[in-house]
Amino acid sequence: MGKLTLYGIDGSPPVRSVLLTLNALGLPFEYKVINLFGGDHLKPEFLKMNPLHTVPTLDDDGFYLYDSHAINAYLVAKYGKNDKESLYPKDLQQRAIVDQRLHYDSSVFGSTARAITFPLIRENQTEIAQAKIDALSGVYETLNLFLKSTDYLAGNNLTIADFSVIAVLSGMVVFLEVDARKFPNLAGWVQRIKKLPYYEEANGSKVTQFTDFLKSKNFTIV
Ligand SMILES: N[C@@H](CCC(=O)N[C@@H](CS)C(=O)NCC(=O)O)C(=O)O
């Protein structure tokens, strides 16, 4: 196989979802930190790889790909052999369910999370409207529903949809805890994901950089 390089930063949820995928697949890769606050992502050499200047960006031997969901699907489809194939199943209907969850993450969960974090991080606002927290609660309800009769978000096997969602959710708990009385399936799933042997390395140890940063903003919910 060629050389894989991941451009990213630990705080970024989509970057951590790719770290989970790379670790799950046991792939060797180089991790190059792109400092978004220092403007690394706006430099011409980065824009050549990704004109949207976002992390994660993957370089697979000169093939550049961005958007974590696309990257994760590509990595499993290309490198996921035998028991790893189920992370992005080949069966069309199973895959369609994974895709549905990925789009939910990308559109609904992603925008709900960004609506909360962007004003804090980028605009130095410290007040968060209760309505945004209510929207987050609505997402937890949906995720709880997805997990009604299965161990993982897209069925009884772990998939890249679980990686995308845990990467975002593990940051959002700063704003709204996953209350096990209200969201029992979701709370159980979080515990299940945390037991993955590579969880700490790929997400757990890295998300704290993000949650500490969010907490340091001393926000209030109004
Ligand atoms: N949907 C994209 C989102 C990527 C994204 O927005 N990344 C943020 C960091 S979490 C970023 O790079 N922002 C810098 C910018 O947009 O200039 C994905 O899943 O990769």
Side-chain angles (χ1 to χ4, degrees), residues 19-174:
L19 289 170
L20 281 160
T21 303
L22 286 164
N23 276 270
L25 293 171
L27 294 173
F29 65 98
E30 189 181 350
Y31 183 45
K32 288 197 181 157
V33 174
I34 293 296
N35 183 350
L36 298 177
F37 295 96
D40 288 355
H41 59 314
L42 302 175
K43 291 184 178 155
E45 57 269 29
F46 192 79
L47 292 173
K48 251 188 242 164
M49 291 190 291
N50 175 356
L52 300 189
H53 47 79
T54 53
V55 290
T57 294
L58 181 78
D59 174 358
D60 181 2
D61 232 3
F63 171 66
Y64 303 122
L65 188 61
Y66 41 89
D67 189 278
S68 59
H69 310 83
I71 293 172
N72 290 336
Y74 169 78
L75 285 172
V76 180
K78 183 162 181 196
Y79 298 110
K81 299 282 176 303
N82 307 319
D83 61 323
K84 302 292 160 88
E85 220 175 80
S86 54
L87 288 168
Y88 192 55
K90 285 209 166 96
D91 175 274
L92 284 182
Q93 293 189 350
Q94 284 179 19
R95 177 170 288 203
I97 300 295
V98 178
D99 287 339
Q100 187 274 314
R101 301 322 194 218
L102 292 176
H103 286 290
Y104 181 80
D105 178 78
S106 200
S107 54
V108 183
F109 198 9
S111 54
T112 304
R114 210 167 302 117
I116 296 173
T117 55
F118 194 90
L120 282 186
I121 299 172
R122 296 283 175 173
E123 295 162 354
N124 274 322
Q125 291 181 27
T126 53
E127 291 189 345
I128 302 170
Q130 179 62 45
K132 292 184 179 178
I133 306 298
D134 294 345
L136 184 59
S137 183
V139 169
Y140 288 10
E141 246 168 64
T142 301
L143 295 172
N144 194 62
L145 189 69
F146 286 157
L147 290 157
K148 192 171 165 212
S149 50
T150 57
D151 279 352
Y152 298 99
L153 282 168
N156 277 321
N157 287 318
L158 179 75
T159 70
I160 55 173
D162 297 292
F163 296 159
S164 290
V165 169
I166 195 68
V168 183
L169 184 72
S170 54
M172 287 304 106
V173 295
V174 167

